[in-house]
Every structure is written in C-alpha cells, then in structure tokens.
Amino acid sequence: MVALEPDPFLNEFGKLFERNKKSGSLSVTMKRTNMKPRNTRHPDTAAEYRCLVRASDGKKKITTEISSKEQGRFQMSYATILRAHMDALKKREKSKKPVSKK
C-alpha cells in the first residue's frame, strides 16, 4: 500500500480510474480515525480526528490521511474526479412491467 499526500493521491486516483475505464472495478473506503493504538484504556478526548482514504483496483492500493482543516478542499477535488470519470458506467436495463388498468 502506497501512502501519499492528498494532492498526489488525487492524481493517482484519476489514473486508477483511467486504467479501469473499459473493464475492472475500483473500490474506495473512507474511515474516521485518530491514529491511536486500540489498546489505550483512556481515550484522549482532545485528539484531532483524521479521515483515512483508501483506493484499490485489486492490483494497486493507495492511501492518504486528510485532516479536518483540508477536508473541504479534498472533497471538492474528489467530487470533481468522480464526476469526470463516471461516464463509463453501464446503464441499467429497465424491465417493462405491464400496467394494470383499474
């Protein structure tokens, strides 16, 4: 797993989309964490929570940590990349159900 800064993560995330455009899948997970070990008995209430973002296409895994201060800017860039690469989705086939007349 490759740990990256937020901006290089977004660049690599776009490349993962390009690599899997014709066939394949891409999974993304986001998790809130304070990056403390689990075995601490008294959790620190003043700890700053961060967002751990991971992306994988089955072959390559990338990850980054986002602080609460840069969360808004990251989400805007993340949403832009998602909108730009969602055109390769397959359209759902709708089944035609007979309409009953009353």
XYZ file of all heavy atoms in Angstrom:
819
model
N 0.850 -1.166 0.000
C 0.000 0.000 0.000
C 0.897 1.231 0.000
O 1.844 1.321 0.757
C -0.893 -0.004 1.241
C -1.920 1.084 1.205
S -3.109 1.053 2.543
C -3.850 -0.518 2.344
N 0.585 2.171 -0.846
C 1.381 3.369 -1.004
C 0.683 4.517 -0.283
O -0.454 4.853 -0.597
C 1.560 3.717 -2.498
C 2.394 4.956 -2.652
C 2.177 2.563 -3.252
N 1.354 5.113 0.718
C 0.797 6.258 1.435
C 1.241 7.534 0.723
O 2.435 7.740 0.487
C 1.285 6.266 2.878
N 0.265 8.366 0.356
C 0.548 9.581 -0.397
C -0.023 10.796 0.315
O -0.912 10.673 1.154
C -0.087 9.488 -1.793
C 0.354 8.341 -2.690
C -0.542 8.258 -3.900
C 1.790 8.530 -3.097
N 0.462 11.953 -0.058
C -0.139 13.215 0.377
C -1.456 13.381 -0.384
O -1.678 12.724 -1.397
C 0.811 14.375 0.068
C 2.084 14.352 0.897
C 1.834 14.548 2.368
O 1.005 15.411 2.739
O 2.453 13.819 3.160
N -2.352 14.269 0.064
C -3.668 14.397 -0.588
C -3.634 14.729 -2.080
O -4.366 14.125 -2.868
C -4.347 15.506 0.206
C -3.727 15.422 1.556
C -2.304 15.023 1.321
N -2.799 15.677 -2.504
C -2.779 16.045 -3.923
C -2.232 14.937 -4.828
O -2.847 14.618 -5.851
C -2.009 17.352 -4.129
C -2.775 18.551 -3.572
O -4.023 18.487 -3.511
O -2.119 19.541 -3.190
N -1.097 14.308 -4.491
C -0.658 13.167 -5.312
C -1.646 11.998 -5.272
O -1.776 11.268 -6.256
C 0.683 12.770 -4.695
C 1.164 13.976 -3.995
C -0.057 14.699 -3.539
N -2.354 11.828 -4.144
C -3.374 10.786 -4.055
C -4.467 11.025 -5.095
O -4.888 10.099 -5.780
C -3.992 10.754 -2.656
C -5.146 9.803 -2.532
C -4.924 8.470 -2.255
C -6.446 10.236 -2.706
C -5.985 7.576 -2.148
C -7.507 9.362 -2.602
C -7.276 8.025 -2.324
N -4.919 12.267 -5.216
C -5.970 12.582 -6.184
C -5.498 12.349 -7.612
O -6.258 11.871 -8.456
C -6.447 14.019 -5.993
C -7.224 14.269 -4.696
C -7.422 15.759 -4.482
C -8.546 13.544 -4.718
N -4.243 12.681 -7.899
C -3.683 12.429 -9.233
C -3.652 10.930 -9.527
O -4.048 10.479 -10.612
C -2.281 13.008 -9.352
C -2.276 14.522 -9.330
O -3.274 15.155 -9.634
N -1.155 15.084 -8.946
N -3.186 10.151 -8.566
C -3.103 8.699 -8.746
C -4.494 8.078 -8.801
O -4.722 7.108 -9.520
C -2.287 8.085 -7.611
C -1.875 6.665 -7.854
C -0.924 6.516 -9.043
O -0.117 7.414 -9.308
O -1.026 5.473 -9.717
N -5.445 8.655 -8.074
C -6.830 8.198 -8.082
C -7.430 8.355 -9.484
O -8.105 7.458 -9.980
C -7.620 8.996 -7.050
C -9.033 8.551 -6.857
C -9.317 7.272 -6.419
C -10.078 9.414 -7.090
C -10.616 6.856 -6.226
C -11.379 9.013 -6.898
C -11.648 7.728 -6.469
N -7.147 9.481 -10.138
C -7.597 9.686 -11.511
C -6.976 8.684 -12.463
O -7.631 8.182 -13.385
N -5.701 8.351 -12.237
C -5.027 7.364 -13.086
C -5.626 5.972 -12.900
O -5.734 5.207 -13.856
C -3.531 7.336 -12.776
C -2.789 8.573 -13.235
C -1.342 8.504 -12.838
C -0.631 9.810 -13.154
N 0.766 9.782 -12.675
N -6.020 5.647 -11.653
C -6.675 4.358 -11.411
C -7.985 4.269 -12.180
O -8.331 3.226 -12.730
C -6.939 4.154 -9.919
C -5.764 3.759 -9.039
C -6.189 3.702 -7.581
C -5.192 2.436 -9.466
N -8.734 5.374 -12.209
C -9.978 5.402 -12.976
C -9.706 5.176 -14.457
O -10.413 4.421 -15.118
C -10.708 6.736 -12.795
C -11.794 6.694 -11.783
C -11.706 7.443 -10.632
C -12.928 5.929 -11.981
C -12.715 7.424 -9.695
C -13.938 5.891 -11.054
C -13.830 6.643 -9.903
N -8.701 5.850 -14.988
C -8.360 5.703 -16.403
C -7.950 4.270 -16.726
O -8.316 3.733 -17.770
C -7.228 6.663 -16.785
C -7.639 8.113 -16.805
C -8.658 8.416 -17.875
O -8.605 7.814 -18.959
O -9.529 9.268 -17.612
N -7.187 3.653 -15.838
C -6.706 2.299 -16.055
C -7.855 1.292 -16.083
O -7.782 0.275 -16.765
C -5.716 1.932 -14.946
C -4.623 1.023 -15.379
C -3.565 0.826 -14.317
N -2.852 2.062 -14.044
C -2.537 2.498 -12.819
N -2.863 1.808 -11.763
N -1.885 3.626 -12.669
N -8.915 1.555 -15.338
C -10.031 0.615 -15.229
C -11.271 1.091 -15.972
O -12.379 0.667 -15.662
C -10.377 0.402 -13.750
C -9.264 -0.292 -13.021
O -8.833 -1.345 -13.429
N -8.782 0.324 -11.968
N -11.104 1.947 -16.952
C -12.260 2.524 -17.633
C -13.020 1.495 -18.454
O -14.244 1.432 -18.397
C -11.808 3.677 -18.527
C -12.956 4.497 -19.048
C -12.465 5.795 -19.597
C -13.653 6.690 -19.829
N -13.304 8.065 -19.912
N -12.346 0.688 -19.211
C -13.018 -0.294 -20.083
C -13.551 -1.483 -19.298
O -14.669 -1.916 -19.490
C -12.061 -0.782 -21.176
C -11.669 0.295 -22.150
C -12.857 0.713 -22.972
C -12.434 1.795 -23.944
N -13.537 2.417 -24.607
N -12.733 -2.031 -18.444
C -13.177 -3.161 -17.637
C -12.440 -3.123 -16.307
O -11.324 -2.640 -16.213
C -12.891 -4.481 -18.341
O -11.494 -4.663 -18.459
N -13.099 -3.632 -15.299
C -12.498 -3.647 -13.978
C -13.314 -2.831 -13.001
O -14.323 -2.224 -13.362
N -12.885 -2.824 -11.781
C -13.599 -2.082 -10.752
C -12.609 -1.350 -9.866
O -11.418 -1.659 -9.841
C -14.462 -3.023 -9.924
O -13.638 -3.944 -9.241
N -13.129 -0.409 -9.130
C -12.327 0.417 -8.243
C -13.090 0.547 -6.943
O -14.276 0.869 -6.953
C -12.103 1.793 -8.879
C -11.207 2.759 -8.161
C -9.773 2.269 -8.181
C -11.275 4.108 -8.820
N -12.446 0.275 -5.822
C -13.118 0.414 -4.535
C -12.452 1.522 -3.728
O -11.228 1.658 -3.741
C -13.082 -0.901 -3.761
O -11.752 -1.238 -3.444
N -13.289 2.294 -3.046
C -12.813 3.416 -2.240
C -13.438 3.296 -0.858
O -14.631 3.041 -0.727
C -13.214 4.767 -2.869
C -12.712 5.923 -2.033
C -12.690 4.879 -4.274
N -12.627 3.480 0.181
C -13.143 3.490 1.539
C -12.668 4.752 2.242
O -11.555 5.224 2.003
C -12.679 2.267 2.352
O -11.258 2.250 2.389
C -13.175 0.987 1.744
N -13.532 5.272 3.099
C -13.193 6.424 3.935
C -13.505 6.058 5.375
O -14.553 5.486 5.655
C -14.002 7.643 3.529
C -13.652 8.187 2.200
S -14.570 9.695 1.910
C -13.836 10.215 0.404
N -12.597 6.392 6.273
C -12.753 5.995 7.657
C -12.243 7.104 8.571
O -11.176 7.664 8.329
C -11.951 4.715 7.878
C -11.929 4.195 9.268
C -11.081 2.940 9.308
C -10.912 2.447 10.708
N -10.068 1.251 10.760
N -13.022 7.420 9.596
C -12.584 8.412 10.581
C -11.678 7.717 11.584
O -11.993 6.646 12.096
C -13.783 9.002 11.295
C -13.396 10.122 12.234
C -14.591 10.614 12.958
N -14.803 9.752 14.113
C -15.444 10.134 15.194
N -15.980 11.315 15.271
N -15.595 9.302 16.205
N -10.559 8.324 11.884
C -9.607 7.719 12.809
C -8.834 8.808 13.539
O -8.708 9.932 13.055
C -8.632 6.784 12.069
O -7.746 6.208 13.018
C -7.828 7.507 11.021
N -8.331 8.468 14.718
C -7.448 9.398 15.417
C -6.019 8.877 15.442
O -5.157 9.450 16.080
C -7.948 9.679 16.830
C -8.030 8.445 17.687
O -7.710 7.359 17.247
N -8.466 8.606 18.912
N -5.790 7.754 14.756
C -4.470 7.154 14.576
C -3.801 6.793 15.903
O -2.600 6.864 16.042
C -3.556 8.070 13.748
C -4.110 8.428 12.392
S -4.564 7.020 11.395
C -2.990 6.515 10.812
N -4.587 6.423 16.893
C -4.068 5.976 18.185
C -4.148 4.456 18.239
O -5.020 3.858 17.624
C -4.912 6.551 19.327
C -4.880 8.051 19.414
C -3.711 8.481 20.208
C -3.787 9.995 20.379
N -2.708 10.527 21.088
N -3.284 3.819 19.007
C -3.404 2.373 19.168
C -4.712 2.009 19.867
O -5.213 2.761 20.690
C -2.201 1.993 20.032
C -1.377 3.201 20.176
C -2.132 4.368 19.668
N -5.262 0.860 19.557
C -6.547 0.449 20.118
C -6.464 0.068 21.590
O -7.455 0.088 22.297
C -7.100 -0.740 19.346
C -7.657 -0.359 18.030
C -8.245 -1.586 17.388
N -8.894 -1.197 16.163
C -10.161 -1.414 15.913
N -10.916 -2.026 16.779
N -10.690 -1.029 14.789
N -5.299 -0.298 22.086
C -5.209 -0.824 23.432
C -5.072 0.256 24.508
O -4.772 -0.062 25.650
C -4.059 -1.830 23.538
C -2.738 -1.214 23.143
O -2.653 -0.044 22.843
N -1.705 -2.028 23.129
N -5.282 1.508 24.192
C -5.242 2.550 25.214
C -6.535 2.518 26.015
O -7.620 2.423 25.467
C -5.053 3.948 24.599
O -6.117 4.185 23.693
C -3.733 4.065 23.879
N -6.415 2.589 27.329
C -7.592 2.485 28.188
C -8.358 3.790 28.281
O -9.570 3.803 28.379
C -7.181 2.047 29.589
C -6.707 0.637 29.602
C -6.440 0.192 30.984
N -5.974 -1.185 30.939
C -6.101 -2.021 31.906
N -6.656 -1.648 33.029
N -5.653 -3.246 31.789
N -7.673 4.880 28.284
C -8.325 6.178 28.414
C -8.139 6.960 27.118
O -7.074 7.521 26.877
C -7.728 6.967 29.586
C -7.804 6.211 30.884
N -8.995 5.990 31.532
C -6.845 5.607 31.622
C -8.765 5.304 32.632
N -7.466 5.050 32.712
N -9.160 6.996 26.287
C -9.013 7.712 25.017
C -8.840 9.208 25.247
O -9.408 9.784 26.174
C -10.312 7.405 24.278
C -11.262 6.993 25.327
C -10.477 6.420 26.459
N -8.041 9.818 24.434
C -7.789 11.253 24.515
C -8.950 11.991 23.859
O -9.167 11.873 22.660
C -6.465 11.575 23.814
C -6.061 13.024 23.984
O -6.671 13.726 24.811
O -5.122 13.445 23.286
N -9.687 12.757 24.639
C -10.853 13.456 24.090
C -10.457 14.657 23.250
O -11.239 15.140 22.449
C -11.790 13.912 25.217
O -11.054 14.749 26.120
C -12.346 12.713 25.962
N -9.241 15.160 23.423
C -8.790 16.325 22.668
C -8.081 15.921 21.372
O -7.559 16.772 20.668
C -7.855 17.180 23.519
N -8.067 14.654 21.053
C -7.373 14.186 19.849
C -8.104 14.661 18.604
O -9.322 14.657 18.546
C -7.287 12.673 19.845
N -7.336 15.076 17.620
C -7.913 15.512 16.350
C -8.160 14.284 15.477
O -7.274 13.478 15.253
C -6.956 16.458 15.631
C -7.467 16.905 14.293
C -6.458 17.744 13.534
O -5.499 18.219 14.136
O -6.657 17.894 12.325
N -9.373 14.158 15.008
C -9.700 13.046 14.136
C -9.294 13.379 12.706
O -9.365 14.516 12.280
C -11.194 12.724 14.187
C -11.586 12.002 15.441
C -12.162 12.669 16.500
C -11.355 10.639 15.564
C -12.510 11.997 17.665
C -11.699 9.953 16.701
C -12.273 10.641 17.753
O -12.612 9.969 18.881
N -8.868 12.343 12.003
C -8.468 12.469 10.610
C -9.286 11.488 9.794
O -9.878 10.566 10.333
C -6.982 12.174 10.468
C -6.124 13.100 11.332
C -4.659 12.747 11.283
N -4.051 12.931 9.993
C -3.646 14.093 9.486
N -3.813 15.187 10.163
N -3.075 14.149 8.303
N -9.301 11.697 8.503
C -10.028 10.805 7.606
C -8.999 10.007 6.818
O -8.121 10.570 6.165
C -10.913 11.624 6.667
S -11.898 10.619 5.578
N -9.111 8.700 6.900
C -8.224 7.808 6.170
C -8.946 7.376 4.900
O -10.024 6.800 4.964
C -7.884 6.601 7.034
C -6.904 5.595 6.489
C -5.535 6.236 6.310
C -6.794 4.421 7.428
N -8.372 7.684 3.745
C -8.991 7.375 2.458
C -8.122 6.353 1.749
O -6.915 6.559 1.596
C -9.141 8.642 1.583
C -9.840 8.318 0.281
C -9.861 9.731 2.335
N -8.757 5.255 1.339
C -8.043 4.209 0.621
C -8.738 3.925 -0.697
O -9.961 3.953 -0.773
C -8.022 2.922 1.437
C -7.249 3.016 2.708
C -7.318 1.714 3.457
N -6.546 1.798 4.671
C -6.881 1.214 5.793
N -7.973 0.482 5.858
N -6.134 1.332 6.863
N -7.946 3.629 -1.726
C -8.487 3.261 -3.031
C -7.681 2.074 -3.554
O -6.467 2.014 -3.372
C -8.410 4.422 -4.007
N -8.389 1.146 -4.197
C -7.731 -0.046 -4.719
C -8.451 -0.522 -5.967
O -9.667 -0.448 -6.057
C -7.752 -1.156 -3.670
O -7.261 -2.342 -4.213
N -7.665 -1.018 -6.916
C -8.257 -1.632 -8.103
C -7.975 -3.126 -8.143
O -8.165 -3.772 -9.151
C -7.756 -0.958 -9.383
C -6.272 -1.151 -9.627
O -5.564 -1.626 -8.722
O -5.816 -0.831 -10.740
N -7.533 -3.688 -7.047
C -7.206 -5.101 -6.979
C -5.730 -5.368 -7.191
O -5.189 -6.334 -6.688
N -5.070 -4.501 -7.929
C -3.646 -4.649 -8.190
C -2.831 -3.618 -7.431
O -1.761 -3.926 -6.925
C -3.369 -4.497 -9.687
C -4.041 -5.545 -10.535
C -3.849 -5.261 -11.993
C -4.666 -6.224 -12.823
N -4.750 -5.813 -14.204
N -3.334 -2.405 -7.370
C -2.604 -1.320 -6.739
C -3.472 -0.690 -5.659
O -4.653 -0.450 -5.867
C -2.229 -0.267 -7.777
C -1.360 0.817 -7.220
C -0.822 1.706 -8.292
C 0.144 2.697 -7.664
N 0.751 3.538 -8.653
N -2.866 -0.413 -4.504
C -3.571 0.206 -3.395
C -2.892 1.525 -3.055
O -1.663 1.586 -2.976
C -3.544 -0.686 -2.157
C -4.234 -2.002 -2.332
C -4.102 -2.829 -1.070
C -4.713 -4.193 -1.262
N -4.557 -5.025 -0.063
N -3.696 2.573 -2.865
C -3.166 3.865 -2.455
C -3.959 4.352 -1.255
O -5.126 3.987 -1.078
C -3.198 4.907 -3.589
C -4.609 5.065 -4.154
C -2.225 4.533 -4.686
C -4.727 6.159 -5.192
N -3.326 5.165 -0.432
C -3.979 5.670 0.764
C -3.472 7.071 1.090
O -2.373 7.448 0.688
C -3.740 4.728 1.964
O -4.469 5.212 3.073
C -2.282 4.643 2.333
N -4.306 7.842 1.797
C -3.917 9.156 2.272
C -4.683 9.476 3.548
O -5.696 8.853 3.841
C -4.170 10.245 1.212
O -3.571 11.461 1.653
C -5.638 10.460 0.965
N -4.168 10.437 4.305
C -4.833 10.927 5.504
C -5.215 12.377 5.279
O -4.408 13.170 4.801
C -3.905 10.855 6.711
C -3.581 9.471 7.167
C -2.649 9.489 8.350
O -2.676 10.457 9.131
O -1.883 8.534 8.476
N -6.450 12.723 5.646
C -6.943 14.075 5.462
C -7.268 14.655 6.830
O -8.016 14.053 7.599
C -8.232 14.084 4.604
C -8.039 13.279 3.324
C -8.677 15.495 4.314
C -6.973 13.795 2.421
N -6.728 15.823 7.134
C -7.074 16.479 8.393
C -8.406 17.194 8.232
O -8.895 17.399 7.123
C -5.985 17.475 8.800
O -5.973 18.567 7.926
N -8.989 17.574 9.338
C -10.292 18.236 9.281
C -10.201 19.610 8.612
O -11.178 20.083 8.043
C -10.877 18.370 10.687
O -10.000 19.119 11.507
N -9.043 20.214 8.634
C -8.871 21.532 8.018
C -8.872 21.462 6.487
O -9.331 22.364 5.821
C -7.576 22.166 8.503
C -7.607 22.486 9.975
C -6.281 23.028 10.429
C -6.354 23.297 11.911
N -5.524 22.404 12.684
N -8.337 20.386 5.948
C -8.265 20.276 4.485
C -9.354 19.366 3.916
O -9.347 19.054 2.725
C -6.876 19.796 4.053
C -6.400 18.562 4.724
C -4.936 18.266 4.437
O -4.176 19.156 4.076
O -4.584 17.094 4.583
N -10.311 18.976 4.736
C -11.386 18.087 4.306
C -12.242 18.696 3.195
O -12.574 18.039 2.224
C -12.264 17.724 5.510
C -13.400 16.791 5.195
C -12.939 15.379 4.932
O -11.881 14.974 5.365
N -13.740 14.637 4.215
N -12.629 19.964 3.325
C -13.489 20.608 2.337
C -12.855 20.681 0.960
O -13.482 20.351 -0.051
N -11.602 21.105 0.909
C -10.894 21.212 -0.367
C -10.702 19.840 -0.999
O -10.862 19.661 -2.208
C -9.536 21.883 -0.154
C -8.800 22.200 -1.439
C -7.460 22.841 -1.172
N -6.552 21.977 -0.431
C -5.835 20.995 -0.984
N -5.927 20.751 -2.257
N -5.023 20.272 -0.241
N -10.389 18.845 -0.172
C -10.209 17.488 -0.689
C -11.521 16.949 -1.259
O -11.528 16.353 -2.336
C -9.699 16.561 0.423
C -9.501 15.146 -0.028
C -8.345 14.770 -0.691
C -10.473 14.188 0.186
C -8.158 13.470 -1.115
C -10.306 12.881 -0.228
C -9.135 12.522 -0.886
N -12.633 17.163 -0.559
C -13.920 16.664 -1.027
C -14.323 17.298 -2.359
O -14.908 16.636 -3.207
C -15.016 16.922 0.016
C -14.965 15.995 1.185
C -15.357 14.573 0.830
O -15.906 14.292 -0.224
N -15.051 13.649 1.720
N -14.026 18.585 -2.533
C -14.335 19.255 -3.802
C -13.537 18.626 -4.943
O -14.083 18.325 -6.010
C -14.030 20.745 -3.707
C -14.881 21.482 -2.706
S -16.477 21.871 -3.351
C -16.057 23.195 -4.437
N -12.249 18.399 -4.741
C -11.407 17.790 -5.773
C -11.808 16.341 -6.032
O -11.842 15.893 -7.181
C -9.938 17.840 -5.354
O -9.531 19.162 -5.148
N -12.138 15.628 -4.968
C -12.567 14.236 -5.066
C -13.861 14.131 -5.878
O -13.991 13.286 -6.763
C -12.749 13.687 -3.655
C -13.275 12.287 -3.558
C -12.468 11.198 -3.840
C -14.586 12.044 -3.156
C -12.948 9.912 -3.734
C -15.071 10.756 -3.048
C -14.250 9.700 -3.331
O -14.731 8.418 -3.227
N -14.808 15.015 -5.600
C -16.079 15.009 -6.321
C -15.884 15.339 -7.799
O -16.551 14.762 -8.666
C -17.042 16.002 -5.688
N -14.973 16.248 -8.106
C -14.680 16.600 -9.493
C -14.139 15.393 -10.257
O -14.548 15.123 -11.398
C -13.673 17.756 -9.548
O -14.195 18.856 -8.810
C -13.380 18.181 -10.965
N -13.240 14.650 -9.624
C -12.669 13.460 -10.265
C -13.751 12.403 -10.469
O -13.832 11.780 -11.533
C -11.502 12.906 -9.433
C -10.327 13.879 -9.484
C -11.069 11.538 -9.935
C -9.203 13.538 -8.558
N -14.606 12.213 -9.475
C -15.688 11.223 -9.614
C -16.630 11.590 -10.749
O -17.012 10.734 -11.552
C -16.471 11.109 -8.308
C -15.801 10.344 -7.174
C -16.716 10.346 -5.953
C -15.476 8.937 -7.571
N -17.016 12.863 -10.839
C -17.928 13.292 -11.910
C -17.291 13.121 -13.283
O -17.962 12.767 -14.247
C -18.325 14.752 -11.716
C -19.433 14.919 -10.727
C -19.958 16.342 -10.749
N -20.259 16.718 -9.391
C -19.589 17.604 -8.660
N -18.568 18.240 -9.187
N -19.930 17.861 -7.433
N -15.995 13.378 -13.375
C -15.306 13.291 -14.664
C -15.193 11.849 -15.157
O -15.184 11.610 -16.366
C -13.910 13.894 -14.549
N -15.143 10.893 -14.244
C -14.914 9.503 -14.644
C -16.132 8.603 -14.493
O -16.027 7.405 -14.720
C -13.749 8.925 -13.853
C -12.453 9.568 -14.196
N -11.955 10.642 -13.502
C -11.559 9.320 -15.183
C -10.812 11.013 -14.030
N -10.545 10.229 -15.050
N -17.267 9.130 -14.165
C -18.458 8.305 -14.017
C -19.180 8.050 -15.337
O -20.209 7.407 -15.358
C -19.451 8.945 -13.038
C -19.018 8.855 -11.616
S -19.051 7.164 -11.067
C -18.613 7.358 -9.380
N -18.649 8.535 -16.439
C -19.304 8.344 -17.733
C -19.159 6.916 -18.259
O -19.858 6.519 -19.178
C -18.762 9.326 -18.758
C -17.267 9.187 -18.969
O -16.617 8.460 -18.208
O -16.750 9.825 -19.902
N -18.288 6.117 -17.678
C -18.082 4.753 -18.151
C -19.042 3.764 -17.495
O -18.966 2.573 -17.757
C -16.640 4.325 -17.877
N -19.946 4.245 -16.670
C -20.892 3.345 -16.015
C -21.887 2.784 -17.016
O -22.285 3.455 -17.965
C -21.656 4.084 -14.913
C -20.840 4.507 -13.706
C -21.710 5.310 -12.760
C -20.295 3.301 -12.990
N -22.301 1.559 -16.796
C -23.295 0.940 -17.660
C -24.679 1.376 -17.212
O -24.958 1.471 -16.023
C -23.192 -0.574 -17.576
C -21.900 -1.123 -18.110
C -21.861 -2.624 -17.956
C -20.520 -3.158 -18.403
N -20.417 -4.592 -18.163
N -25.557 1.629 -18.174
C -26.926 1.998 -17.849
C -27.695 0.746 -17.470
O -27.501 -0.309 -18.052
C -27.586 2.676 -19.036
C -26.875 3.951 -19.427
C -27.864 4.988 -19.762
C -27.080 6.258 -20.090
N -27.853 7.414 -20.016
N -28.567 0.900 -16.487
C -29.393 -0.221 -16.058
C -30.484 -0.485 -17.076
O -31.081 0.439 -17.620
C -30.051 0.091 -14.723
C -29.108 -0.029 -13.565
C -29.794 0.261 -12.270
N -30.899 -0.671 -12.030
C -31.739 -0.561 -11.031
N -31.657 0.433 -10.198
N -32.712 -1.438 -10.868
N -30.725 -1.753 -17.322
C -31.817 -2.118 -18.215
C -33.090 -2.177 -17.390
O -33.171 -2.900 -16.392
C -31.538 -3.464 -18.864
C -30.371 -3.437 -19.815
C -30.157 -4.780 -20.470
O -31.086 -5.607 -20.475
O -29.047 -4.996 -20.967
N -34.074 -1.410 -17.786
C -35.333 -1.378 -17.065
C -36.255 -2.443 -17.633
O -36.431 -2.547 -18.840
C -35.983 -0.011 -17.170
C -35.148 1.079 -16.518
C -35.830 2.416 -16.638
C -34.973 3.495 -16.022
N -35.571 4.818 -16.153
N -36.823 -3.207 -16.749
C -37.776 -4.217 -17.211
C -39.144 -3.567 -17.340
O -39.559 -2.780 -16.496
C -37.831 -5.378 -16.227
O -38.269 -4.923 -14.971
N -39.816 -3.901 -18.403
C -41.137 -3.320 -18.636
C -42.183 -4.176 -17.935
O -42.346 -5.355 -18.237
C -41.431 -3.232 -20.124
C -40.500 -2.273 -20.818
C -40.927 -2.073 -22.228
C -39.996 -1.062 -22.897
N -40.470 -0.655 -24.174
N -42.861 -3.570 -17.009
C -43.925 -4.257 -16.295
C -45.265 -3.835 -16.884
O -45.465 -2.670 -17.204
C -43.888 -3.893 -14.808
C -42.632 -4.365 -14.127
C -42.651 -4.010 -12.664
C -41.368 -4.465 -11.989
N -41.342 -4.081 -10.578
N -46.166 -4.785 -17.035
C -47.467 -4.404 -17.579
C -48.223 -3.509 -16.594
O -48.230 -3.748 -15.394
C -48.189 -5.734 -17.764
C -47.455 -6.701 -16.886
C -46.065 -6.188 -16.756
N -48.799 -2.471 -17.147
C -49.560 -1.523 -16.332
C -50.989 -2.043 -16.240
O -51.665 -2.256 -17.251
C -49.515 -0.128 -16.946
C -50.342 0.836 -16.113
C -48.069 0.340 -17.099
N -51.436 -2.259 -15.033
C -52.809 -2.761 -14.869
C -53.772 -1.585 -14.791
O -53.507 -0.579 -14.135
C -52.913 -3.608 -13.595
O -52.617 -2.802 -12.476
N -54.857 -1.707 -15.494
C -55.888 -0.663 -15.504
C -56.945 -1.019 -14.469
O -57.354 -2.152 -14.343
C -56.533 -0.542 -16.878
C -55.560 -0.056 -17.913
C -56.243 0.103 -19.229
C -55.254 0.573 -20.287
N -55.900 0.734 -21.582
N -57.381 -0.027 -13.765
C -58.396 -0.238 -12.724
C -59.755 0.153 -13.175
O -60.050 0.931 -13.952
C -58.050 0.543 -11.467
C -56.799 0.012 -10.822
C -56.527 0.754 -9.554
C -55.270 0.240 -8.888
N -54.954 0.927 -7.690
